[in-house]
Amino acid sequence: MPANTSDAIARSCEFSQYLHRLLSARPEQAQRLEQKWRQPFTLDEMQTFVDWPTQTAPEQQASALRQLRQAVMARLICRDLNGLASLDEVMSTISQLAEFAVRQALACAAAALTQYGQPIGEDSGEPQQLIVIGMGKLGGGELNVSSDIDLIFIYPEGGETNGARRISNHEYFTQLGKRLIALLNDITPDGQVFRVDMRLRPYGDSGPLVMSFAALENYLLSQGREWERYAWIKAKALTGDAEALNQLVRPFVYRKYLDYNAYGAMRELHAQIRREVARRDMADNIKLGPGGIREAEFIAQVFQLIRGGRDRTLQLRGTRATLDRLAALRLLEPDAVEELQAAYAFLRNLEHRLQYLDDQQTQTLPAAPDTRQKIAASMGFADWPAFEDALTAVRAKVSRHFEQVFILPSEDSPDHPLSELWLDVSEQAPEQKLAELGYADPQAVARQLKGLAQSQRYLQMPLSGRKKLDALMPALIEVASRFPNADDTLSRIIGLMEAISRRASYLALLTEYPQTLQRLASLYSASAWVSAYLSRHPILLDELLDVRVLYAAPDWPQLAAQLEAQLDQAEGDVEAKMDALRHFQHAQTFRLVAQDLAGMWTLEALSDELSRLADLVLDAAVRHAWRDIPSRHTDTPRFAVIGYGKLGGKELGYASDLDIIFLYDDPHPEAPDLYSRLARKLSTWLTSATAAGVLYDIDLRLRPNGASGLLVSSIAAFRQYQENQAWAWEHQALTRARFVAGDTDIGAQFEAERHAILTLQRDPAKLRDEVLAMRQRMLESHPAREDDVKNARGGIIDVEFIVQYLILAHARRLPALTGNTGNIALLAVAAEAGLIDAGLAEHARDAYRLFRRLQHAARLNDKQNVDVVPELQAAYYSGRQLWQQVFEQALDFS
């Protein structure tokens, strides 16, 4: 940086002919610059640049705004070229100037139309205000220094003015808009403030200058095109009712689903730009040419169009902020974003230096050698060749990242070798080819393929969707054939294709990312349950895109923060919150099952993770359901959820019900009613089927007095019931119970009561008779069968009853048995204390592990029963032996 002001200004004039001319012609601007060039030009300074209320005449306002722009430009050029201003300062300052100028010009224009009075809405009867919308880089707060500004004019309602001369609101706002444009755009002896471009308005140059909300909504719904969605991402209301505008436009820009069709639309828009660049020989254009500014912007915005409806944190206007958000969400790798940010900054700084030369809106590299040398020097390079090498490297990086994001879909590749098999499946016999591919029953596979090809669902698909499906099917036939159970794999995949055939966005996802097909087939081959789950929730196909996320161990605190942010975004919209909970739970479940099938978890560890997920979801549901309770007396409910059974014992499976009860501890007189309402609402939030599916099935029958009891109990009532009224089987259930969500103080009280109940002095003989009687009642409703590892004698329930009896009989002198550590660990505790034979305990532990693995594997493949093999029979024998030792009763299987 130059040591003194004169050197700094001289250096700036060396690289900017515009600044040299300005300071020579305007001594007052030179004086301002000398005094303040070391300080950023703030909005406060713009507001005090002149006494704006006195600039009432349009000529005065126009002159003052143009002089303000000259002052801002002079300081930005000097600060930027001398290393004092960052790119963000340059872009935000010029954007701030544009917004300020629009508001000033609008006020001045309105003052010239006082004879018409105020425009009044015909429906609301309220005064109307013109909404001036900044589009493009103005809306994004990233304007370049010599840019024009893209504006759109909207007003809320039709009607007419209430002045001495009445005209329609449309006529009034048209006049107002024309005056605003003139104040900014007309060339005077002071130059321009900004060139104004109105071509982004509906219908372009042929459309009306201004439009009502109703007309805009009708246009977007009936005629809005894909490129306009891209344009409206950056739309910002500079004046008027911004929130009403956002509510109208947001559904047009951001879809509720993951919109992978955006890839094709953005790719086509980019192709049009590339064709125009080639036609006009614009390879040296750093904005539109290969590896230019526009490609970096497209990378950011395609993710916004795809995901912004699902994740409102992506509903940003600025390119740089969006890229940072993509890194935070790991939609782009942080290293890639860092590279893109550096390239974008290089290109935007270069753009500004090209425009500083003569205050012209240009992004084209100069041809003259002396001008080239100036640009190179202003960018910090010794000469043009060194600069050009650096620029080439930067553009190559942008192009590389662009091509990685916008990789051409498989349908644009040469025809797949199996294309003919699929396209002619109805006319020709594909059985021989299917057999060669390895399908075990080619006739059955051919029937399924023909069934899909001849179905009304397929025949009535839009042409674009059918083309995508036609491109996918040959690849899916091939990839499914590589698995040992090829027939089942393809059959399950055909089910998915039928489910998503009307959902063009999901077809687009698989088409855009052909590398996902192998992952999809692998999961569909491994598990019938997973394939059915994914077919019910095809939104989870998105999880296949990034293996780093799919196979990353869950970071529960981070995931909890993400869920909370999503729920906060949906504040005031109960349905949106319920869907957010479902999408979150389904996504985490799908990640865990993918990791499970990849062998990343033991069954015990997997159950722990599924239980943590349920705890997290329940905790969020309690807090947000409480917010939906009117007239609540506290922001934080004194309410807790207690888990029993598999949830309580941390042995959840993928489709397990949640056995839960609700407790509260609150002296407020309305507490019983409020917490009953919360319990009902929470049950609805968990079990209702929405467009996103069901969250959890729940069972509330373990509450005091069962199905006839109150839905929610006070902790005092729960304590009294457990101590004086509960049956032995209810104390058995308490052995696998724990606090899972809500008020931690109530959780601590519950855990203390649980410990007190489990450590009561009991008569072992009486307890044994009660436990055996309960087991017999269960057998009457669920007979023991050896292909049912849960109910078989010596199976899961028998081992659980053994552990429960040991806890209730011996926890008073062996409190370690009250720990909620799982049946396997508790058997070891009992053996170590000499309550059971150590050898029998070890065999029973191994048997229990086997039972759970077999049960888990059966459910993954939608099987109710297991194969009875010698290993399983030996495990049953171990369970029966331990049963006989504990209860001194041999099991009779006759």
Side-chain angles (χ1 to χ4, degrees):
M1 186 180 74
N4 57 61
T5 297
S6 59
D7 288 348
I9 294 175
R11 170 181 166 80
S12 303
C13 290
E14 178 185 349
F15 298 128
S16 174
Q17 299 167 19
Y18 163 76
L19 182 63
H20 178 74
R21 291 196 305 270
L22 174 65
L23 300 185
S24 298
R26 303 278 186 171
E28 73 281 7
Q29 294 287 13
Q31 185 177 8
R32 282 195 187 98
L33 183 60
E34 290 169 0
Q35 292 173 348
K36 296 188 175 182
W37 74 279
R38 294 181 184 275
Q39 305 167 16
F41 213 117
T42 65
L43 178 60
D44 285 344
E45 195 173 347
M46 295 177 196
Q47 292 169 336
T48 58
F49 183 77
V50 298
D51 186 5
W52 293 103
T54 66
Q55 311 295 303
T56 54
E59 297 79 10
Q60 291 176 304
Q61 187 79 205
S63 177
L65 286 172
R66 283 154 177 76
Q67 290 175 42
L68 172 61
R69 180 184 184 273
Q70 292 166 4
V72 171
M73 283 291 291
R75 198 182 305 176
L76 278 180
I77 291 170
C78 192
R79 286 178 58 75
D80 191 2
L81 292 176
N82 286 282
L84 285 184
S86 66
L87 173 61
D88 287 335
E89 180 189 324
V90 175
M91 295 190 300
S92 63
T93 301
I94 202 71
S95 300
Q96 206 166 56
L97 170 66
E99 291 190 29
F100 177 78
V102 165
R103 288 192 287 269
Q104 284 298 127
L106 182 63
C108 181
L113 299 176
T114 53
Q115 69 271 26
Y116 299 117
Q118 288 184 307
I120 303 298
E122 60 186 350
D123 294 325
S124 67
E126 298 293 327
Q128 304 291 292
Q129 186 176 0
L130 183 66
I131 301 173
V132 180
I133 304 168
M135 304 290 284
K137 289 186 171 63
L138 170 58
E142 294 176 336
L143 208 59
N144 61 59
V145 291
S146 296
S147 179
D148 56 10
I149 56 174
D150 296 295
L151 301 179
I152 293 177
F153 298 150
I154 302 295
Y155 60 94
E157 298 177 50
E160 65 177 17
T161 61
N162 62 0
R165 294 181 57 192
R166 295 195 173 196
I167 58 175
S168 70
N169 287 355
H170 186 84
E171 291 174 292
Y172 174 86
F173 287 121
T174 298
Q175 289 194 38
L176 184 62
K178 287 179 178 178
R179 287 175 177 270
L180 186 154
I181 292 170
L183 281 166
L184 300 176
N185 186 78
D186 286 358
I187 298 175
T188 73
D190 294 308
Q192 284 178 306
V193 189
F194 288 99
R195 292 174 297 277
V196 177
D197 189 337
M198 302 294 298
R199 290 175 296 176
L200 287 179
R201 70 186 188 269
Y203 305 106
D205 284 340
S206 63
L209 187 67
V210 300
M211 185 174 276
S212 68
F213 272 173
L216 174 64
E217 183 174 29
N218 180 64
Y219 173 84
L220 295 178
L221 287 173
S222 62
Q223 300 187 53
R225 290 158 289 182
E226 285 297 321
W227 71 261
E228 289 177 289
R229 290 181 62 206
Y230 159 80
W232 278 90
I233 285 176
K234 293 182 178 292
K236 178 183 180 182
L238 309 182
T239 65
D241 191 345
E243 184 52 36
L245 176 74
N246 288 339
Q247 289 180 6
L248 189 154
V249 172
R250 188 180 290 124
F252 168 68
V253 178
Y254 297 110
R255 306 296 194 241
K256 286 186 177 181
Y257 50 84
L258 294 169
D259 185 14
Y260 285 94
N261 286 310
Y263 273 118
M266 296 284 278
R267 190 184 291 112
E268 177 55 30
L269 179 57
H270 178 260
Q272 292 174 13
I273 294 170
R274 281 278 178 95
R275 288 193 292 270
E276 184 69 6
V277 167
R279 186 180 68 81
R280 295 168 57 185
D281 192 20
M282 296 168 63
D284 280 345
N285 187 298
I286 64 164
K287 176 181 178 182
L288 303 178
I293 294 167
R294 183 58 56 83
E295 288 188 356
E297 294 170 341
F298 271 26
I299 291 170
Q301 288 167 321
V302 74
F303 285 102
Q304 291 181 283
L305 288 177
I306 292 170
R307 298 172 178 274
R310 286 283 313 282
D311 188 340
R312 289 195 179 184
T313 64
L314 281 169
Q315 293 182 12
L316 303 169
R317 298 187 180 95
T319 299
R320 305 195 82 190
T322 301
L323 287 172
D324 285 341
R325 186 62 189 153
L326 294 176
L329 294 172
R330 296 303 291 260
L331 297 174
L332 284 175
E333 277 298 287
D335 288 348
V337 169
E338 185 177 347
E339 203 164 58
L340 280 168
Q341 289 281 30
Y344 186 73
F346 185 97
L347 293 169
R348 292 302 306 271
N349 282 327
L350 173 57
E351 176 186 42
H352 290 151
R353 279 148 183 75
L354 293 172
Q355 295 176 355
Y356 290 154
L357 286 170
D358 208 26
D359 192 21
Q360 294 295 312
Q361 187 186 16
T362 181
Q363 287 92 11
T364 301
L365 297 172
D370 59 333
T371 309
R372 286 186 163 192
Q373 181 56 38
K374 285 183 179 179
I375 291 298
S378 69
M379 290 291 291
F381 293 88
D383 52 37
W384 181 259
F387 161 75
E388 196 169 33
D389 287 346
L391 175 60
T392 300
V394 164
R395 295 178 74 167
K397 289 176 183 177
V398 175
S399 286
R400 175 166 52 83
H401 288 297
F402 181 87
E403 288 164 5
Q404 287 174 347
V405 171
F406 286 90
I407 182 172
L408 288 177
S410 57
E411 65 180 290
D412 291 339
S413 304
D415 285 346
H416 191 280
L418 297 180
S419 290
E420 187 176 344
L421 182 153
W422 163 249
L423 293 174
D424 296 337
V425 72
S426 297
E427 284 76 32
Q428 298 185 15
E431 286 83 358
Q432 182 177 346
K433 183 62 178 176
L434 291 170
E436 292 171 2
L437 287 168
Y439 286 97
D441 188 349
Q443 289 81 13
V445 174
R447 283 196 299 272
Q448 282 193 294
L449 291 172
K450 288 179 182 179
L452 176 60
Q454 294 170 352
S455 68
Q456 288 301 306
R457 185 181 295 272
Y458 173 79
L459 295 174
Q460 293 176 3
M461 288 176 68
L463 180 60
S464 60
R466 196 189 305 178
K467 285 178 64 179
K468 288 184 174 69
L469 185 57
D470 289 343
L472 285 169
M473 284 307 301
L476 289 169
I477 293 169
E478 179 188 29
V479 76
S481 72
R482 299 172 187 161
F483 292 90
N485 58 339
D487 299 50
D488 288 341
T489 303
L490 184 60
S491 177
R492 294 165 186 171
I493 289 174
I494 289 173
L496 172 66
M497 293 299 106
E498 290 174 338
I500 68 172
S501 60
R502 301 280 180 88
R503 309 288 290 276
S505 186
Y506 297 133
L507 294 174
L509 182 155
L510 295 173
T511 306
E512 295 288 349
Y513 290 93
Q515 67 270 28
T516 62
L517 301 184
Q518 178 67 32
R519 296 172 205 153
L520 175 70
S522 177
L523 290 170
Y524 272 54
S525 171
S527 169
W529 183 87
V530 173
S531 64
Y533 191 74
L534 192 51
S535 296
R536 284 198 309 273
H537 308 295
I539 195 169
L540 297 174
L541 288 168
D542 178 66
E543 297 292 329
L544 297 174
L545 298 185
D546 192 336
V547 294
R548 295 161 308 190
V549 175
L550 184 62
Y551 294 109
D555 181 338
W556 293 116
Q558 182 184 53
L559 289 169
Q562 289 179 10
L563 176 60
E564 191 64 21
Q566 292 167 12
L567 292 170
D568 286 342
Q569 289 172 20
E571 192 61 45
D573 187 340
V574 169
E575 184 178 352
K577 285 190 175 186
M578 291 170 66
D579 282 350
L581 286 166
R582 283 156 175 75
H583 288 312
F584 176 85
Q585 193 267 354
H586 295 159
Q588 304 315 315
T589 298
F590 183 68
R591 292 178 188 179
L592 286 170
V593 75
Q595 294 167 19
D596 177 20
L597 293 173
M600 292 174 57
W601 297 103
T602 65
L603 182 55
E604 291 80 5
L606 174 68
S607 294
D608 285 346
E609 297 303 304
L610 288 168
S611 300
R612 288 190 183 100
L613 171 60
D615 292 359
L616 190 159
V617 169
L618 286 167
D619 194 62
V622 167
R623 282 183 284 104
H624 285 269
W626 179 248
R627 293 186 192 179
D628 196 45
I629 300 290
S631 305
R632 59 187 185 274
H633 62 291
T634 177
D635 289 336
T636 304
R638 299 288 307 281
F639 178 94
V641 180
I642 306 301
Y644 279 75
K646 290 186 182 299
L647 175 62
K650 298 182 182 178
E651 291 185 350
L652 277 187
Y654 296 119
S656 298
D657 295 352
L658 303 186
D659 292 302
I660 54 178
I661 68 168
F662 305 127
L663 301 178
Y664 74 93
D665 184 22
D666 191 332
H668 192 277
E670 295 182 11
D673 178 61
L674 285 170
Y675 293 122
S676 291
R677 286 155 62 189
L678 174 58
R680 288 193 297 272
K681 187 175 292 292
L682 188 59
S683 299
T684 299
W685 277 37
L686 294 174
T687 62
S688 294
T690 74
V694 173
L695 194 54
Y696 286 107
D697 288 324
I698 63 173
D699 191 335
L700 302 172
R701 290 174 297 176
L702 286 173
R703 66 187 186 269
N705 294 306
S708 63
L710 296 174
L711 196 59
V712 60
S713 300
S714 69
I715 188 69
F718 176 81
R719 183 180 296 113
Q720 190 277 334
Y721 179 85
Q722 290 292 334
E723 293 174 359
N724 299 302
Q725 296 172 257
W727 296 82
W729 68 263
E730 291 177 285
H731 288 175
Q732 283 182 250
L734 202 60
T735 64
R736 294 212 304 170
R738 65 185 177 88
F739 164 73
V740 297
D743 187 290
T744 54
D745 180 61
I746 299 175
Q749 292 184 61
F750 167 79
E751 295 296 346
E753 178 61 19
R754 173 181 178 273
H755 184 271
I757 293 296
L758 297 185
T759 55
L760 287 173
Q761 182 69 48
R762 292 178 173 87
D763 178 349
K766 180 182 178 184
L767 175 64
R768 188 197 70 163
D769 291 343
E770 289 175 328
V771 170
L772 292 175
M774 184 63 196
R775 182 69 183 104
Q776 184 59 41
R777 285 196 293 274
M778 293 183 67
L779 286 168
E780 290 167 2
S781 58
H782 295 86
R785 298 195 323 269
E786 289 207 341
D787 62 355
D788 177 359
V789 295
K790 179 178 179 181
N791 293 292
R793 298 315 317 253
I796 289 176
I797 290 180
D798 281 344
V799 174
E800 290 175 347
F801 268 53
I802 289 168
V803 173
Q804 291 163 12
Y805 171 79
L806 292 171
I807 293 170
L808 296 178
H810 301 288
R812 184 172 183 84
R813 65 183 181 85
L814 186 60
L817 285 171
T818 65
N820 199 326
T821 53
N823 291 306
I824 293 172
L826 290 172
L827 284 171
V829 171
E832 187 176 345
L835 300 179
I836 53 177
D837 179 80
L840 288 179
E842 190 60 33
H843 289 313
R845 280 155 54 91
D846 291 339
Y848 192 74
R849 289 190 185 96
L850 176 64
F851 299 150
R852 290 201 59 211
R853 285 200 303 273
L854 291 173
Q855 185 183 57
H856 182 68
R859 288 176 178 172
L860 276 176
N861 282 289
D862 274 348
K863 293 182 178 179
Q864 299 298 317
N865 305 317
V866 301
D867 295 331
V868 182
V869 296
E871 183 186 13
L872 177 59
Q873 291 175 322
Y876 287 150
Y877 180 72
S878 298
R880 293 165 189 165
Q881 280 192 304
L882 185 60
W883 178 280
Q884 183 169 4
Q885 187 203 13
V886 171
F887 294 112
E888 299 176 351
Q889 180 186 64
L891 296 177
D892 181 9
F893 301 103
S894 56

